Every structure is written in C-alpha cells, then in structure tokens.
Amino acid sequence: MAKEKGRKLIAQNKKARHDYLIIDTYEAGLVLTGTEVKSLRQGRASLVDGFVQMDGHEAWLYNVHVPEYSQGTWTNHSARRKRKLLLHREEIDKLESKSQETGHTIVPLALYFKDGRAKVEIALAKGKKEYDKRQTLREKQDRREAERVISAVRRKQRA
C-alpha cells in the first residue's frame, strides 16, 4: 500500500487565531493509539478547548476531542485523554520558558496527517483583550472592502 503524500487537514482551531495573538508556531508529532488514528482518518476531531501544558520536560496536549472509533471494541480510547507531543528538546525548552511568562499560553491550531503521520500545529500565543479582537475584525473588514473596490475598478477597466 502506497503512503499518502502531502498534508490532509483533519481539524482546525479558527477561534484560537481570533482569541490569541500568535507569536510562534511549531509542528509536533502525536503519540496515539490505533483506534485514535482510525478515528482521525475518518476526519473526526475537535481542537476547540485544547491546550498544551509542560509536565516534567514533556509537552502534553489536553482537551482535544477525538471521538471513539465506531468499530472499536474494548481497546477503544477515551475521547478527551491527554496525549504526548513529540518535539525536539530545544523546542520543548523554548516553549517551557516562554509559557512561564505572564499571559503566554500554548494552543493547538491544526490537526492533520503529513505523509501518513498524525501531526499537530501548536502555537505560542498571547491572549488578546476585547478591544484587540475588535481592532483585528475592523482591519479585516477594511482590507476586504479595499479588495472589493480594487476588483470593481479592474472590472470597469476591462469592460
């Protein structure tokens, strides 16, 4: 059987980009059981409440919901168990020191298969205040309106 190539997205945490200012991103492997992998291959997962915590120089992913595999038996996994992240020692040390700073947290952004292996994109992030969120939305709307005006002018020039 040929290995899959490329990146197949399973779940994305769009709310994290709205609620947090993303400082740095990392790609981490996941330690999973067989039924978790099968459930993920069906495209079933939720990152909404997920977060990463450091425990004894190891990174752990909490509150990510991977539903039980429908054809699983007594070997099935629990849906919200903590999962170990696979990172290089330097990355763990950097994340550990940065996450100790006030206001910094580590959140999952995306869960995907890359060349047949389950990966999670995590980000070192800083929580946004309410006015920062409004400012971001305003900038996004302004950018969208500017693009509309530019495309309308281009359409008129073509006609």
Side-chain angles (χ1 to χ4, degrees):
M1 190 162 114
K3 278 244 178 180
E4 304 169 27
K5 293 289 179 199
R7 180 174 156 153
K8 181 187 171 221
L9 188 66
I10 301 162
Q12 219 174 359
N13 190 357
K14 292 180 182 176
K15 191 167 171 50
R17 293 194 186 273
H18 178 263
D19 291 343
Y20 297 99
L21 174 68
I22 306 300
I23 298 168
D24 205 1
T25 60
Y26 299 88
E27 182 180 71
L30 280 163
V31 176
L32 300 171
T33 63
T35 54
E36 284 175 320
V37 175
K38 289 180 179 187
S39 188
L40 288 176
R41 290 212 184 275
Q42 291 177 339
R44 302 167 61 206
S46 172
L47 298 172
V48 174
D49 299 327
F51 64 95
V52 176
Q53 256 186 350
M54 299 300 184
D55 183 28
H57 299 294
E58 291 180 340
W60 294 87
L61 184 63
Y62 289 88
N63 278 359
V64 170
H65 186 265
V66 177
E68 289 186 353
Y69 182 55
S70 54
Q71 279 86 40
T73 57
W74 58 271
T75 59
N76 235 336
H77 62 280
S78 73
R80 286 202 182 267
R81 76 178 188 90
K82 71 177 190 176
R83 295 165 179 90
K84 187 175 178 181
L85 295 178
L86 304 172
L87 290 159
H88 292 285
R89 171 62 48 209
E90 308 88 52
E91 292 173 332
I92 291 174
D93 292 341
K94 186 176 178 183
L95 282 170
E96 196 167 19
S97 66
K98 290 284 190 179
S99 66
Q100 300 297 324
E101 294 176 20
T102 308
H104 287 80
T105 186
I106 306 167
V107 292
L109 297 177
L111 188 61
Y112 53 92
F113 281 106
K114 183 178 178 184
D115 298 333
R117 297 182 190 274
K119 303 280 185 182
V120 65
E121 182 181 17
I122 59 174
L124 179 66
K126 188 174 175 96
K128 284 185 185 177
K129 302 278 189 251
E130 197 61 39
Y131 55 85
D132 289 335
K133 293 177 189 177
R134 285 194 296 267
Q135 180 66 29
T136 304
L137 284 173
R138 199 172 299 119
E139 288 171 1
K140 192 175 178 182
Q141 286 173 339
D142 292 345
R143 201 170 28 253
R144 219 180 267 149
E145 284 183 28
E147 288 172 4
R148 280 190 199 125
V149 170
I150 291 169
S151 63
V153 168
R154 286 185 181 153
R155 262 188 257 120
K156 285 182 182 178
Q157 286 176 349
R158 282 189 225 137

